[in-house]
Amino acid sequence: MSAKSDPKIPYKRVMLKISGEALMGDQGYGLHPPTMARIAREVKSVHDLGVEICMVIGGGNIFRGLQGAAQGMERATADYMGMLATVMNALGMQAALEAEGIFTRVISAIPMDQVCEPYIRRRAIRHLEKKRVCIFAAGTGNPYFTTDTAATLRANEMGCEAIFKGTKVDGVYDKDPKKFPDAQRYETVSYDEVLQKHLGVMDASAIALARDNNLPIIVFSLDEPGGFRGVLSGEATFTRVQG
């Protein structure tokens, strides 16, 4: 039975963007099942509020296209390899979510019918309406675009009300809080300020796409237990990127 939406929750449909590195725990590579199970429980806690959830997961724990290109590989080929890495992560997260009892669909921008669905916008929206979590894999299906841009694109197509960017810190800071104890966290920051100050929330294409469609980006700590649900209920610390 699907959960009823809590009237106090400000969002009915959101995009959760996490890096591939978030799935590897304290390992240096690959997937760490206990970490994936913890993230799945975070997603379930928000899903139980009646919120419809999309996800995009990076591939950097397996292969990062830019690094491959930097080592002499053709950029387009390296990016396609990175897209395939995101499909592996999406399938792993699907298994973790379904272990928590949440029906999940992996939807790939590169067709691979034996393991996941092809991207069809109206079908994906119908999955969300049926309270299934949709994990969008393989980026945009095009090289030279990051999974940040893919997350922003899909969030707009799905009619999401915000992008939640799960990171290792509880918001956007004026400098690296791990290196500088006097780093200041922004409560809110504008899209243009993020671009001008190179604050590293997402890449420039993703920020510009969010700005053009007035889609807020909420940066919070995925390492904080209950952080995802806490942001939705207004109890956790985070930074809101908006116009």
Side-chain angles (χ1 to χ4, degrees), residues 23-164:
L23 305 185
M24 66 187 184
D26 52 9
Q27 303 174 146
Y29 179 82
L31 298 166
H32 185 237
T35 298
M36 295 175 72
R38 177 182 65 78
I39 294 171
R41 289 192 295 273
E42 292 280 328
V43 174
K44 182 179 189 299
S45 71
V46 171
H47 188 264
D48 287 347
L49 296 173
V51 179
E52 297 169 5
I53 301 171
C54 308
M55 291 181 72
V56 168
I57 307 170
N61 56 320
I62 298 170
F63 187 86
R64 186 180 288 280
L66 275 173
Q67 287 177 353
Q71 292 169 16
M73 187 179 290
E74 183 194 17
R75 172 68 190 272
T77 298
D79 279 356
Y80 280 122
M81 291 172 68
M83 288 180 221
L84 296 179
T86 71
V87 177
M88 295 170 69
N89 284 340
L91 292 171
M93 183 53 64
Q94 179 184 43
L97 286 166
E98 293 198 331
E100 295 292 328
I102 299 173
F103 293 114
T104 307
R105 295 290 184 271
V106 173
I107 300 169
S108 172
I110 298 174
M112 45 187 85
D113 296 345
Q114 283 80 1
V115 295
C116 52
E117 291 185 12
Y119 177 67
I120 300 170
R121 177 178 166 272
R122 291 175 68 94
R123 183 192 288 177
I125 289 172
R126 188 68 183 130
H127 287 320
L128 292 170
E129 290 170 349
K130 291 183 175 179
K131 305 302 178 186
R132 297 166 183 156
V133 171
C134 289
I135 307 177
F136 296 103
T140 65
N142 300 291
Y144 298 96
F145 290 96
T146 65
T147 50
D148 281 346
T149 303
T152 311
L153 175 66
R154 297 292 183 239
N156 280 307
E157 289 181 295
M158 294 298 106
C160 293
E161 295 162 315
I163 299 173
F164 282 72

Side-chain angles (χ1 to χ4, degrees), residues 9 42 44-46 48-49 226-235:
I9 299 301
E42 292 280 328
K44 182 179 189 299
S45 71
V46 171
D48 287 347
L49 296 173
F228 188 20
R229 183 178 177 127
V231 173
L232 278 156
S233 54
E235 294 159 6

